[in-house]
Amino acid sequence: MGSRKQDSAIARKEANKDVVKASLNNCPSSPRKMRLVADIIRGENVDKALYILKYSKKDASNKLEKLLLSAIANWQTKNEGADIEAANLFVKEIYVDSARQLKRLRPAPQGRGYRIRKRSNHVTLVLGNKQDNQ
């Protein structure tokens, strides 16, 4: 690797040190239902987001809570020896994309069949520091 390329790789790594990403693929719930919960925690502190997800009645909140805990664990492996409370982590980005659909047929009157689309989604969560954002 050339020195210029190596220098830019090191600079990129330092710039992305405080940004951590976690993703959940092929989650078997509709993207619309998942976005309802994702919109609630967008921009919140990690502690507050965990509190919101823990006490939410929606089924999607359980999956997003596990994803947020995974992102926190990713941050800890990236920044060993650093304190989470001192880092002021917050949910920088969270977006829900649709994934594959399972297409099924439900019996309908007079020999017809109604199509059922069982939807699934992909969720991507990015954590960042408050100091970088301000």
Side-chain angles (χ1 to χ4, degrees):
M1 182 184 299
S3 63
R4 248 187 351 193
K5 198 171 191 180
Q6 188 174 11
D7 292 342
S8 66
I10 291 170
R12 196 175 325 111
K13 187 175 181 181
E14 281 298 318
N16 290 334
K17 188 172 186 176
D18 297 328
V19 176
V20 178
K21 183 175 162 182
S23 63
L24 173 68
N25 291 328
N26 294 321
C27 180
S29 69
S30 82
R32 186 175 179 179
K33 292 177 184 177
M34 189 67 81
R35 278 189 199 108
L36 286 173
V37 182
D39 290 340
I40 296 171
I41 65 167
R42 185 176 291 121
E44 297 289 342
N45 286 334
V46 171
D47 298 332
K48 188 174 179 183
L50 280 172
Y51 180 79
I52 290 169
L53 292 174
K54 185 172 185 169
Y55 293 105
S56 176
K57 292 182 181 179
K58 301 263 184 200
D59 185 51
S61 64
N62 297 332
K63 295 168 185 166
L64 282 182
E65 184 182 4
K66 281 183 76 172
L67 181 65
L68 184 56
L69 289 172
S70 173
I72 293 169
N74 290 346
W75 184 87
Q76 285 177 334
T77 58
K78 210 172 194 184
N79 302 300
E80 292 181 20
D83 189 26
I84 294 177
E85 286 80 22
N88 289 330
L89 290 178
F90 76 108
V91 180
K92 188 173 183 179
E93 294 178 25
I94 181 168
Y95 46 92
V96 181
D97 299 323
S98 64
R100 62 188 168 95
Q101 293 181 7
L102 298 175
K103 294 181 176 152
R104 301 289 183 256
L105 287 176
R106 169 167 284 165
Q110 298 180 358
R112 288 191 295 261
Y114 292 156
R115 177 165 279 177
I116 295 176
R117 294 186 306 248
K118 296 191 174 191
R119 299 173 189 268
S120 58
N121 59 56
H122 301 311
V123 184
T124 305
L125 183 111
V126 178
L127 297 181
N129 285 0
K130 283 284 189 188
Q131 290 89 10
D132 294 343
N133 197 29
Q134 294 175 350

